[in-house]
């Protein structure tokens, strides 16, 4: 299985696009990366109280996100969260969600820019995944007050944000 690997702030991210008829199982992709990149063949996945998955008795942390035909996995020696969203330039995005999920400062920055709206969403969701929260925690979440590092990259029409603690 061919994939791309990138290093961002001591975290390795692996991603790949695939044909919709060949849906990739995220755990199979994780298994392949653990074998090929880390020589880990046997592992057990456990979850915390909020459902965040971990590798049992291992010093590596991972996080997975996928959108349609794109999957991304982050692996690090520290807690991480990752999210991916697809931006389609000619799509008519419902910007009314700005009033529900975004702070007033974020709404002023985003205005009517759907790409920025999605970028902020990936920042919020990757933070929630970093701390092991729930998606419902995104409403009104002000990520600017959190002590985290966030890196956003663009891969074709996909927006990926990686979150780590400072």
């Amino acid at each position: 299985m061919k994939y791309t690997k990138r290093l961002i702030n001591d975290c390795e991210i692996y991603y790949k696009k695939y044909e919709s008829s060949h849906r990739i199982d995220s755990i199979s992709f994780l298994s392949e990366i653990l074998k090929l990149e880390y020589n880990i063949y046997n592992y057990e996945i456990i979850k915390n109280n909020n459902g965040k998955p971990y590798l049992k008795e291992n010093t590596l942390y991972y996080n997975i996100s996928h959108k349609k035909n794109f999957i991304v996995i982050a692996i690090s020696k520290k807690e991480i969260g990752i999210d991916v969203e697809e931006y389609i330039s000619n799509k008519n995005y419902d910007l009314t969600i700005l009033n529900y999920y975004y702070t007033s400062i974020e709404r002023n920055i985003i205005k009517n820019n759907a790409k920025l709206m999605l970028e902020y969403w990936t920042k919020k969701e990757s933070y929630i995944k970093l701390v092991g929260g729930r998606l419902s925690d995104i409403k009104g979440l002000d990520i600017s007050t959190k002590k985290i590092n966030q890196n956003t990259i663009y891969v074709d029409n996909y927006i990926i944000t990686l979150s780590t603690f400072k």
Side-chain angles (χ1 to χ4, degrees):
M1 178 186 312
K2 188 177 182 222
Y3 55 84
T4 301
K5 175 181 173 180
R6 286 181 74 170
L7 182 65
I8 300 175
N9 288 349
D10 299 327
C11 301
E12 292 178 335
I13 65 165
Y14 304 86
Y15 57 87
K16 74 173 282 133
K17 287 191 225 182
Y18 53 91
E19 298 295 323
S20 59
S21 60
H22 298 101
R23 177 121 175 103
I24 295 175
D25 174 30
S26 56
I27 299 303
S28 296
F29 187 34
L30 174 66
S31 291
E32 182 176 352
I33 290 168
L34 290 174
K35 288 175 189 173
L36 295 175
E37 302 286 340
Y38 300 93
N39 291 320
I40 297 174
Y41 292 87
N42 297 308
Y43 63 90
E44 182 180 348
I45 296 174
I46 58 174
K47 295 183 178 183
N48 71 7
N49 293 339
N50 288 333
K52 182 175 181 175
Y54 290 93
L55 297 175
K56 184 178 181 182
E57 298 175 0
N58 198 297
T59 59
L60 292 177
Y61 294 91
Y62 78 94
N63 204 243
I64 300 173
S65 186
H66 47 81
K67 192 67 168 183
K68 291 189 181 180
N69 302 346
F70 192 89
I71 185 167
V72 61
I73 296 178
I75 298 180
S76 178
K77 292 184 178 180
K78 55 188 174 184
E79 290 275 3
I80 50 176
I82 198 158
D83 187 48
V84 62
E85 292 294 333
E86 181 181 26
Y87 173 68
I88 303 168
S89 60
N90 61 353
K91 181 178 176 180
N92 186 16
Y93 287 90
D94 180 8
L95 297 175
T96 60
I97 69 166
L98 287 173
N99 294 325
Y100 189 75
Y101 290 108
Y102 296 82
T103 66
S104 61
I105 293 170
E106 291 167 342
R107 288 192 301 270
N108 286 332
I109 294 168
I110 295 167
K111 299 196 189 301
N112 291 320
N113 186 325
K115 192 172 191 178
L116 263 179
M117 178 187 73
L118 291 172
E119 183 178 319
Y120 271 85
W121 182 268
T122 64
K123 290 175 186 244
K124 289 172 177 279
E125 189 167 340
S126 66
Y127 169 76
I128 293 296
K129 293 170 80 176
L130 168 68
V131 299
R134 292 184 160 69
L135 198 53
S136 59
D137 298 335
I138 285 182
K139 182 181 177 184
L141 172 66
D142 184 357
I143 54 173
S144 69
T145 64
K146 307 303 179 191
K147 294 182 180 185
I148 57 173
N149 293 315
Q150 291 192 307
N151 296 89
T152 301
I153 62 170
Y154 293 84
V155 176
D156 298 327
N157 57 322
Y158 293 94
I159 304 167
I160 303 168
T161 297
L162 175 73
S163 292
T164 58
F165 291 112
K166 286 188 176 181

